[in-house]
Amino acid sequence: MNIVSIRGAITIDNNEEKNILDNTAKLIKTIEKANNLEKKDVISIIFSCTADITKVAPAKAARQLGYVQASLMNFNEMYVENYLEKCIRIMILCNSNIKQDQVKHIYLKDAKILRPDLT
């Protein structure tokens, strides 16, 4: 086994707790499925949010999904003019049998513009 990094992002429709948690859970579940990821192999998940997301930390969704052993941290995304609004980004570090170049990074909804090379 080796350690790999999996990236992803999703946008939310509005700054409401349910919307934030539902979309974060959708992103995590999609990453799990695409990469055959098991919770026990996850070392940590780093979440960053644009400044317009304030109602709840997205890490709460990971805890609700059962990520109780992994370290979770939330950060504000750096402000850049004309940045993508209402966006949650994640980076998962995990033990895996796949190599870094085999990882499937997941960008959903309007966040697809962040990685046009993946579409």
Side-chain angles (χ1 to χ4, degrees), residues 33-115:
K33 185 176 180 181
N35 291 282
N36 297 314
L37 185 63
E38 295 186 38
K39 289 174 184 67
K40 68 177 179 55
D41 295 326
V42 174
I43 299 165
S44 63
I45 307 175
I46 298 171
F47 298 85
S48 70
C49 298
T50 50
D52 49 8
I53 298 175
T54 62
K55 298 298 182 185
V56 67
K60 183 175 180 180
R63 290 282 186 239
Q64 290 174 341
L65 290 173
Y67 286 90
V68 295
Q69 298 301 317
S71 299
L72 308 177
M73 291 192 74
N74 298 280
F75 295 95
N76 284 334
E77 185 70 27
M78 179 183 139
Y79 175 77
V80 177
E81 289 182 15
N82 301 313
Y83 69 120
L84 181 61
E85 297 179 348
K86 296 186 181 91
C87 186
I88 299 167
R89 293 171 174 87
I90 67 173
M91 182 171 70
I92 299 173
L93 296 175
C94 62
N95 293 304
S96 179
N97 290 320
I98 64 172
K99 295 181 180 174
Q100 186 64 46
D101 63 357
Q102 297 170 312
V103 166
K104 293 178 179 69
H105 304 286
I106 304 296
Y107 289 77
L108 302 174
K109 299 172 78 174
D110 291 342
K112 289 179 181 181
I113 67 166
L114 299 171
R115 288 293 306 265

